Amino acid sequence: MSSQLVQPMEEYLWEQYEDRKQQDESYLVGMWTFLSTEIMFFGALFISYAVYRYKYPEAFYAGHEYMNVALGTINTAVLLTSSLTMALAVHFAQKRKRWMQIGMLVITMFLAFGFLGIKFVEYGDKFREHLVPGYNFEWNQANVNRLEASTAPINIIPSLKAGSLPADSAISHDAQMYFIIYFAMTGLHAIHVIIGILIMMVFIGMLVANHPSVRYHMPMEMLGLYWHFVDIVWIFLYPLLYLIPR
Amino acid sequence: MSVTQMENTTPEPHPRKTYLNEGNTIGSWLLTKDHKRIAIMFLISISLMFIVGGWAATMIRAELVEPQGHLMSHETYNKMFSMHGIVMIFFFLIPSIPAVLGNFMVPIMIGARDLAFPRLNLISWYLYIIGAGISLAAMLSGGVDTGWTFYTPYSSVYSNTHVTMTIVGIFIAGFSSIFTGINFIVTIHKMRAPGLTWFRLPLFVWAIYATSIIFLLGTPVIAITLALVVLERTLHLGIFNPAYGGDPILFQNLFWFYSHPAVYIMILPSMGVVSEIIPCFARKKIFGYNFIAFSSLAIALFGFLVWGHHMFVSGQSVYSGMIFSLLSFLIAVPSAVKVFNWTATMYKGRISFDAPMLYALGFIGLFTMGGLTGLYLASLTADVDLHDTYFVVAHFHYIMVGGAIMGFMGGMHFWWPKITGRMYPERWAKIAAVITFFGFNFTFFPQFILGYMGMPRRYHWYPPEFQTLNILSSIGAAVLAFGYIIPAIYFIWSLKKGPKAPQNPWRATGLEWEEVPSPPPTHNFARLPIVEREAYDYEWMDGRDDSLGAASVTGGKGDG
Ligand code: HEM
Ligand SMILES: [Cu+2]
């Protein structure tokens, strides 16, 4: 690919552009346009969330009781920290401090893995609790499990406030809707995290090899923008799914 | 414009390097990053899809000749019209002008060497091919019977046809649209030649820009919605299934949130093409440049506010109905502005009726018909009667076939000399344009009457009293088919036998004609042009008495 560069490597200019300024700006406009598309991707799900929460407030409340707020909060912190380290990686890219940049990217990547790991644990709980729509969703069973767990000595599942759940099948379908939305939204978000991790891996590899195309800070800035977007989406998901008020 | 190419006036001893002869291997095409070659690959692929969709249409019209046709079973008929709609909308009309003419022309029109992201452009084509391949495979291996609208819960629960696979194909092709849109937006923002301000841009570029906005903001919504349908179908969830607390109206809202704007994806680029053709063949500056430019943006933005007019009888609230009805009337205004401006441009112009102009004029007439009947449908009370009848079918065909495809054909004729370096046979082209126009009206005008009389769409059996009009429509369709077959033949013929095209056969304005030989070299411009004038300065062009004009006058007669 580098044979396509018409300038010396330091300049890193693709042949369709006139100069670096044009190229840099094109990258940025491109990334922002892409993110506007992304907003609409999630937008469709946010709208569905709004419609069903408006329709089934009790079921959404009941469903959210099964969220592990502690893990969700930790994950929020993890992701926010990763945004910080990503911002630092961009900073070091601009300053051309390659090893610092690599270091920050590696930390970001580990935090991203951490996020996925915790998500994995949470998903696992849902499987065990019969809360996975289309796979083993059984609202009553879930409630029974829950009651037992709340009396167990070690409480893995957050405790059930006595009498707070309509533990009957009346809202079973509606509660399932909550979990469909939950899995759809966090799933789409997780896909974005995974894509981010893959890009980071490629980046780290290229940086270690000192590949010419990453000696230039723009690609890094774009990765940064993408990662912050993923972060922001979570900032919305977390309260909407975990912190539904009474 | 400062650079003048002299090489076209004198015969060349060696064949000039063009984008066409730079590498002839399959690989040099399949791995190309040249926007012009990618445009050609899109042209070939969408033409194949057009043949598939056209074949389905032929079967539909053949079946409808008899009140109780026995060409095919009910199920087959359902699959036939579904295939027709899906192929024509998602795999032909939506990519047609943007990915072919837009891809080829936009960089040249704005004085750029390529799109901003050539690799992304190539990826777009591959995504399109993969998506089209999957959907086509689904439709040929048994088909899908939901219609192009995929209404739930029929599509997600009851239909036992290849819904999932078809949707996967459409989903993938959606990314092709999104990437194309990103590419255009960035290119138009950042890669214009020096001096080419926003208000000197050709109106085609404005139209493509507006279309790209819809690509970006609309496509993701349908992608997620269809993905949810697939989830519901494969995992037996109840997202849109009322039996499980799901809301089918939500599906319809999400679907039309994309699909109404999508109808503007299909028509806006055609409006752009017409805005290029009319001034050229009327030899006049376009009337009300700013109005046309802004009406494109207005259509793109307001187009997102009227989706509810497809759901007047779906059970949405009366107040939504009223508001959507009102907004739908408003969206007709920017379209009408364009029609008035084109007409005003022709007023007192020196009009010549070459084939591109015939198509453009046909566009104006048929689009106006389609737009006006859209207003009937946008009136709440009228729509209660007309919804899901042939009136709706006629309405959108007037716009999508009479409008969008006429514009596409007009653009293909207009830019064919530039794209291929060959002239098409003008006389045949005129004949084809006229055949298309009459064939089209014979096909679809009877459908307005049928719909008004109450014939519902998507049924293949109908009361015998509707037969006469249906036969008329089917005959019209056969005539219309010739209107498309003839150009297909002479376009292919002209590739080898057509007279060599001069740089500017129409003496048109615009960088693609003034600065770039036909066909263009790989990187379009030897030296980047500097733009010093407004668009459509035909007074200047006609006053100019240089090689460019001279070459055009003799060139048209053919020297190849
Ligand atoms: C002048 C502005 C327009 C207005 C006011 C308008 C209005 C409408 C209305 C109210 C309907 C729904 C009819 C029903 O289902 O009962 C409709 C259907 C439709 N229109 Fe338009 N329309 C306009 C322009 C367009 C354009 C520009 C296109 C395409 C390029 C288009 C394509 C369609 C299609 C495809 C349908 C039917 C969709 C389906 O049910 O399969 N319309 N139009
Ligand atoms: Cu509409």
Side-chain angles (χ1 to χ4, degrees):
Chain A
M1 289 293 154
S2 48
S3 63
Q4 299 241 343
L5 304 178
V6 288
Q7 291 317 92
M9 287 202 291
E10 275 302 296
E11 277 300 316
Y12 197 71
L13 187 68
W14 292 93
E15 58 195 350
Q16 69 269 28
Y17 299 110
E18 277 307 282
D19 50 33
R20 264 284 298 282
K21 181 163 167 292
Q22 188 184 42
Q23 173 170 315
D24 288 3
E25 290 177 359
S26 299
Y27 279 20
L28 275 183
V29 176
M31 197 62 202
W32 281 105
T33 354
F34 174 68
L35 293 183
S36 67
T37 311
E38 287 277 31
I39 291 175
M40 297 308 284
F41 260 110
F42 283 97
L45 289 178
F46 277 110
I47 286 289
S48 312
Y49 172 93
V51 167
Y52 287 127
R53 180 166 167 189
Y54 177 75
K55 260 183 132 164
Y56 308 123
E58 294 91 24
F60 266 56
Y61 184 76
H64 113 282
E65 290 267 288
Y66 283 89
M67 290 297 116
N68 193 326
V69 181
L71 289 186
T73 312
I74 295 174
N75 245 353
T76 310
V78 169
L79 213 51
L80 279 175
T81 318
S82 78
S83 249
L84 172 69
T85 53
M86 180 59 95
L88 287 172
V90 175
H91 171 80
F92 289 122
Q94 287 164 342
K95 290 270 176 304
R96 305 208 168 204
K97 294 195 176 146
R98 186 157 64 95
W99 287 105
M100 289 301 281
Q101 186 190 353
I102 294 175
M104 285 304 150
L105 265 181
V106 170
I107 300 178
T108 313
M109 197 177 76
F110 273 110
L111 288 169
F113 270 121
F115 176 88
L116 281 185
I118 296 177
K119 204 80 231 137
F120 192 73
V121 172
E122 285 191 74
Y123 279 179
D125 284 347
K126 301 293 168 293
F127 273 95
R128 248 172 286 121
E129 293 172 53
H130 295 272
L131 286 174
V132 183
Y135 176 70
N136 64 358
F137 193 83
E138 276 177 66
W139 184 239
N140 290 335
Q141 183 63 39
N143 282 310
V144 172
N145 288 352
R146 188 83 177 280
L147 279 168
E148 281 166 5
S150 60
T151 51
I154 301 170
N155 209 342
I156 329 166
I157 309 168
S159 72
L160 178 72
K161 289 179 219 91
S164 69
L165 286 180
D168 59 313
S169 54
I171 63 163
S172 166
H173 286 334
D174 312 351
Q176 177 168 0
M177 193 61 79
Y178 171 83
F179 284 97
I180 294 174
I181 302 263
Y182 166 78
F183 277 105
M185 293 182 104
T186 54
L188 185 64
H189 180 259
I191 291 175
H192 280 79
V193 175
I194 293 171
I195 292 174
I197 290 179
L198 292 178
I199 302 176
M200 281 184 239
M201 285 179 170
V202 174
F203 247 80
I204 293 170
M206 287 168 91
L207 278 168
V208 170
N210 204 3
H211 191 276
S213 59
V214 289
R215 259 178 245 162
Y216 162 54
H217 66 93
M218 275 320 279
M220 188 63 217
E221 284 201 15
M222 313 236 303
L223 174 57
L225 275 176
Y226 172 81
W227 194 250
H228 297 319
F229 171 81
V230 173
D231 198 13
I232 288 174
V233 171
W234 180 257
I235 298 292
F236 283 95
L237 291 184
Y238 169 62
L240 286 179
L241 293 169
Y242 288 78
L243 306 178
I244 297 182
R246 267 239 89 141
Chain B
M1 318 218 171
S2 49
V3 194
T4 317
Q5 249 107 7
M6 300 296 292
E7 59 208 35
N8 274 280
T9 55
T10 46
E12 304 143 32
H14 303 292
R16 191 170 47 81
K17 274 263 176 225
T18 72
Y19 80 100
L20 285 171
N21 60 20
E22 192 144 308
N24 278 322
T25 56
I26 302 272
S28 74
W29 281 87
L30 291 184
L31 297 176
T32 183
K33 291 192 214 77
D34 184 346
H35 65 106
K36 301 182 285 302
R37 286 195 164 198
I38 297 173
I40 300 286
M41 300 200 301
F42 262 115
L43 175 61
I44 296 169
S45 12
I46 65 161
S47 303
L48 293 178
M49 290 312 268
F50 185 71
I51 294 174
V52 175
W55 170 75
T58 314
M59 299 311 282
I60 295 172
R61 280 317 323 167
E63 173 72 6
L64 289 175
V65 168
E66 281 178 284
Q68 299 216 330
H70 21 264
L71 209 57
M72 53 184 93
S73 65
H74 308 315
E75 289 75 19
T76 314
Y77 184 78
N78 291 349
K79 289 175 181 170
M80 212 46 98
F81 73 69
S82 304
M83 173 151 141
H84 169 66
I86 292 167
V87 168
M88 286 300 198
I89 289 187
F90 293 112
F91 297 109
F92 174 72
L93 263 181
I94 288 182
S96 63
I97 296 188
V100 177
L101 296 174
N103 223 337
F104 198 105
M105 287 303 159
V106 165
I108 306 184
M109 284 177 144
I110 67 172
R113 296 220 155 82
D114 205 319
L115 286 168
F117 307 120
R119 259 188 299 183
L120 195 64
N121 196 16
L122 183 62
I123 293 174
S124 278
W125 182 75
Y126 277 103
L127 289 174
Y128 171 83
I129 288 295
I130 295 171
I134 294 178
S135 287
L136 210 55
M139 286 182 281
L140 296 182
S141 66
V144 58
D145 66 351
T146 58
W148 77 282
T149 44
F150 297 104
Y151 269 24
T152 54
Y154 182 68
S155 64
S156 59
V157 182
Y158 301 105
S159 168
N160 50 12
T161 54
H162 294 285
V163 181
T164 304
M165 203 166 150
T166 313
I167 288 184
V168 168
I170 295 174
F171 184 87
I172 295 175
F175 283 90
S176 162
S177 302
I178 291 176
F179 291 158
T180 305
I182 292 180
N183 235 330
F184 283 140
I185 291 208
V186 177
T187 309
I188 296 169
H189 264 282
K190 288 295 160 198
M191 313 219 0
R192 282 169 285 127
L196 189 55
T197 58
W198 280 93
F199 292 99
R200 286 179 178 175
L201 282 176
L203 289 164
F204 179 68
V205 178
W206 276 97
I208 291 288
Y209 184 81
T211 310
S212 303
I213 295 179
I214 308 180
F215 274 146
L216 285 173
L217 301 184
T219 320
V221 175
I222 187 110
I224 284 295
T225 310
L226 291 181
L228 289 178
V229 171
V230 168
L231 283 183
E232 169 157 344
R233 211 181 144 77
T234 48
L235 301 179
H236 307 291
L237 307 177
I239 312 172
F240 300 123
N241 181 1
Y244 291 95
D247 186 352
I249 300 294
L250 176 64
F251 171 84
Q252 294 184 20
N253 275 304
L254 292 171
F255 180 83
W256 288 114
F257 179 83
Y258 164 76
S259 293
H260 182 81
V263 307
Y264 288 105
I265 292 179
M266 303 178 229
I267 199 71
L268 270 171
S270 274
M271 294 169 152
V273 170
V274 171
S275 304
E276 297 297 308
I277 294 177
I278 299 271
C280 175
F281 293 94
R283 311 307 300 169
K284 265 181 73 189
K285 204 175 208 132
I286 193 123
F287 181 85
Y289 175 98
N290 290 4
F291 277 93
I292 299 188
F294 280 117
S295 64
S296 291
L297 288 186
I299 287 176
L301 299 178
F302 294 142
F304 280 104
L305 305 178
V306 299
W307 75 89
H309 65 213
H310 296 270
M311 299 162 56
F312 286 151
V313 296
S314 70
Q316 73 180 1
S317 99
V318 189
Y319 300 105
S320 321
M322 278 154 63
I323 289 170
F324 278 125
S325 171
L326 189 72
L327 289 171
S328 303
F329 277 99
L330 289 183
I331 186 109
V333 173
S335 308
V337 164
K338 284 185 198 277
V339 172
F340 290 136
N341 283 352
W342 293 323
T343 319
T345 306
M346 287 185 285
Y347 179 67
K348 288 198 172 161
R350 283 181 290 123
I351 298 179
S352 53
F353 295 97
D354 297 278
M357 186 64 163
L358 291 182
Y359 279 109
L361 294 174
F363 172 97
I364 297 181
L366 300 179
F367 172 73
T368 306
M369 281 281 288
L372 289 179
T373 49
L375 294 180
Y376 286 53
L377 295 171
S379 328
L380 273 174
T381 41
D383 189 64
V384 174
D385 244 8
L386 295 175
H387 178 69
D388 268 353
T389 67
Y390 264 85
F391 194 91
V392 175
V393 176
H395 153 70
F396 65 72
H397 281 90
Y398 260 79
I399 295 181
M400 307 207 294
V401 181
I405 301 187
M406 281 292 233
F408 177 66
M409 292 302 280
M412 284 300 295
H413 285 84
F414 187 55
W415 282 304
W416 188 256
K418 184 56 63 185
I419 295 175
T420 62
R422 301 283 182 163
M423 298 304 292
Y424 59 82
E426 183 63 39
R427 180 195 301 262
W428 278 106
K430 281 184 185 153
I431 294 175
V434 173
I435 291 181
T436 311
F437 184 81
F438 283 104
F440 175 83
N441 278 300
F442 274 123
T443 313
F444 290 104
F445 196 82
Q447 298 186 3
F448 277 129
I449 307 174
L450 281 171
Y452 192 74
M453 284 162 48
M455 177 164 162
R457 63 192 283 203
R458 294 183 172 175
Y459 288 80
H460 72 137
W461 285 5
Y462 55 81
E465 59 262 35
F466 293 148
Q467 191 177 14
T468 319
L469 286 168
N470 268 305
I471 290 181
L472 201 58
S473 179
S474 292
I475 295 175
V479 177
L480 182 57
F482 278 104
Y484 296 129
I485 293 171
I486 296 172
I489 294 173
Y490 65 66
F491 274 148
I492 294 172
W493 171 87
S494 77
L495 288 177
K496 284 264 173 283
K497 302 275 174 66
K500 283 221 162 49
Q503 175 170 337
N504 190 355
W506 316 118
R507 308 181 38 145
T509 62
L511 294 180
E512 83 271 33
W513 302 113
E514 292 167 37
E515 302 287 351
V516 176
S518 321
T522 299
H523 290 297
N524 300 346
F525 300 93
R527 191 145 42 96
L528 280 197
I530 297 171
V531 179
E532 283 150 357
R533 280 186 320 280
E534 311 281 296
Y536 312 113
D537 199 344
Y538 278 99
E539 215 163 298
W540 166 83
M541 180 52 97
D542 285 344
R544 174 175 155 158
D545 170 37
D546 58 10
S547 58
L548 238 170
S552 320
V553 175
T554 54
K557 307 238 162 64
D559 54 354

